[in-house]
Amino acid sequence: MNTKPIPTTEEEWRQKLTPEQYRVLREKGTEAPFTGKYTHEKRAGMYACTACGNPLFSSDTKFDSGTGWPSFDEALPGAVKFVSDGTHGMERTEVVCAKCGSHLGHVFDDGPMKTGKRYCMNSVCLELGEKKE
């Protein structure tokens, strides 16, 4: 996966992304549960930010959380940043791409794997680069 040039204005983002990608990545939206292309994905590879190509998660950390969104137990070192999110009457931790600042999803402390984390991501924010045999 190659990194992509990062737009400098929201108009450039609108031109680069599909309307759904823009709504989720730039306007902090959420795709409907169980609708994303990576919810049940099992292929091995590296998940990168759709907006800028920044590598985010290894498929080795992906698990089926039953929530309807792709879930991971850890991000690649330095790949994401965390932002306090008090919207919708909840206290959550938003996950954004460390390179372009785009919204990816949220992280929760209820993961069943070794880290205890559940990075609950939107498929529209991810791009899977499959491992070559």
Side-chain angles (χ1 to χ4, degrees):
M1 263 171 275
N2 295 330
T3 58
K4 305 170 185 178
I6 299 175
T8 57
T9 68
E10 286 307 307
E11 186 53 39
E12 288 176 356
W13 280 115
R14 277 190 185 85
Q15 291 174 12
K16 176 184 173 93
L17 302 171
T18 68
E20 177 68 355
Q21 288 171 334
Y22 185 84
R23 184 184 73 78
V24 177
L25 287 155
R26 303 305 299 170
E27 296 180 331
K28 302 179 187 286
T30 301
E31 64 192 358
F34 300 102
T35 63
K37 65 182 178 179
Y38 296 128
T39 302
H40 300 293
E41 183 60 61
K42 303 281 190 227
R43 291 176 292 169
M46 191 66 63
Y47 289 87
C49 176
T50 298
C52 72
N54 183 34
L56 302 168
F57 302 96
S58 168
S59 62
D60 296 338
T61 67
K62 188 173 188 292
F63 66 96
D64 184 359
S65 65
T67 61
W69 292 278
S71 297
F72 304 85
D73 78 329
E74 66 183 337
L76 296 173
V80 300
K81 292 183 179 177
F82 305 102
V83 179
S84 180
D85 177 3
T87 61
H88 307 291
M90 296 180 273
E91 286 300 322
R92 302 180 291 175
T93 301
E94 178 187 9
V95 179
V96 300
C97 175
K99 183 174 179 190
C100 71
S102 292
H103 172 80
L104 302 170
H106 291 87
V107 64
F108 303 95
D109 289 325
D110 61 3
M113 297 183 50
K114 65 181 178 187
T115 67
K117 301 290 185 190
R118 175 174 54 95
Y119 287 82
C120 190
M121 303 291 100
N122 292 285
S123 286
V124 73
C125 302
L126 304 173
E127 187 175 288
L128 175 61
E130 290 186 70
K131 287 185 180 172
K132 306 282 190 262
E133 295 297 324

